[in-house]
Amino acid sequence: DAGVIQSPRHEVTEMGQEVTLRCKPISGHNSLFWYRQTMMRGLELLIYFNNNVPIDDSGMPEDRFSAKMPNASFSTLKIQPSEPRDSAVYFCASSLVGGSYEQYFGPGTRLTVT
Amino acid sequence: KNEVEQSPQNLTAQEGEFITINCSYSVGISALHWLQQHPGGGIVSLFMLSSGKKKHGRLIATINIQEKHSSLHITASHPRDSAVYICAVALQTSGSRLTFGEGTQLTVNP
């Protein structure tokens, strides 16, 4: 398996623009996680899905952030409008359902909002 | 107080040394994860533990559920072990959601 695939790997955009990050989980995994990593706050969970259904979105910072998982092999994280404080590395991870399974991380998307 | 505390925050060792990184947590958990983040940014899962001890190559992870404490040991450390090591717990009350420690920056000098 190719592992968790994320695109783009790097994104530079101007404040106010819409940003869409994409993730393809490992085939057969039915949990998908979106994380954000910054120097100030470390790794934080934004949202996770089980079987394509959002389970916990309490980490989504505000209404500018939205995430979808239309099918088992694809998810998006959208920021609209983007702000400089959204600059971070965004990781997608997948696993089998449940907290007792290893999570496999994608390479991350480094987002810079100017 | 963070729910997950790691120590030390930074650790410098000489090649060949035995290394220990500690993780303490304050609530009931269903599992504890050790992750490694390489200098290039990629994150790799090293271990997932709910009890006892696991070993993979030169890496050993232990957990004491009663004391709410886990350790990650590296034997015969090597410069390629230089990375950030992150402890994360799945709380009993939060399903698959992980709560992360702040990480330990390990540097192994040749």
Side-chain angles (χ1 to χ4, degrees):
Chain A
D1 201 312
V4 176
I5 298 172
Q6 289 187 248
S7 65
R9 296 290 306 275
H10 301 273
E11 177 81 32
V12 179
T13 191
E14 291 184 348
M15 183 173 64
Q17 296 297 307
E18 177 179 296
V19 175
T20 299
L21 311 182
R22 297 172 175 80
C23 176
K24 177 179 168 53
I26 291 173
S27 178
H29 283 182
N30 43 17
S31 281
L32 183 138
F33 306 81
W34 282 103
Y35 295 101
R36 179 172 67 176
Q37 186 177 40
T38 61
M39 289 293 292
M40 290 294 293
R41 299 172 66 92
L43 265 170
E44 329 174 74
L45 176 71
L46 298 177
I47 184 171
Y48 80 91
F49 297 83
N50 284 349
N51 298 308
N52 312 339
V53 176
I55 301 300
D56 183 347
D57 66 354
S58 59
M60 296 286 264
E62 48 199 271
D63 292 346
R64 297 185 297 107
F65 284 69
S66 62
K68 293 182 180 179
M69 192 162 186
N71 57 62
S73 58
F74 183 67
S75 177
T76 59
L77 178 68
K78 186 177 293 187
I79 308 172
Q80 167 63 23
S82 58
E83 296 182 3
R85 60 192 167 121
D86 301 330
S87 297
V89 180
Y90 291 81
F91 289 98
C92 176
S94 72
S95 76
L96 297 173
V97 171
S100 300
Y101 293 98
E102 286 188 61
Q103 294 187 17
Y104 294 81
F105 285 75
T109 295
R110 182 173 296 275
L111 173 66
T112 303
V113 184
T114 61
Chain B
K1 189 181 189 306
N2 292 337
E3 289 174 314
V4 182
E5 298 273 354
Q6 281 187 242
S7 63
Q9 283 190 309
N10 294 280
L11 181 57
T12 300
Q14 289 300 120
E15 185 172 356
E17 285 185 1
F18 181 84
I19 287 163
T20 296
I21 299 170
N22 296 299
C23 176
S24 296
Y25 52 93
S26 56
V27 293
I29 66 169
S30 57
L32 183 142
H33 300 247
W34 281 103
L35 309 173
Q36 179 192 55
Q37 187 165 26
H38 300 291
I43 298 175
V44 174
S45 176
L46 298 176
F47 295 103
M48 192 282 299
L49 294 162
S50 53
S51 65
K53 176 180 174 178
K54 287 189 175 180
K55 184 176 189 292
H56 185 256
R58 296 179 295 106
L59 301 178
I60 303 166
T62 63
I63 188 169
N64 185 317
I65 297 294
Q66 287 73 30
E67 294 186 3
K68 293 185 169 59
H69 181 268
S70 176
S71 294
L72 176 68
H73 305 286
I74 305 175
T75 62
S77 60
H78 190 276
R80 65 175 175 265
D81 297 325
S82 298
V84 176
Y85 292 84
I86 303 169
C87 173
V89 298
L91 305 180
Q92 285 176 343
T93 55
S94 64
S96 300
R97 181 187 189 89
L98 292 184
T99 300
F100 295 89
E102 294 184 350
T104 295
Q105 173 69 62
L106 171 65
T107 302
V108 182
N109 294 318

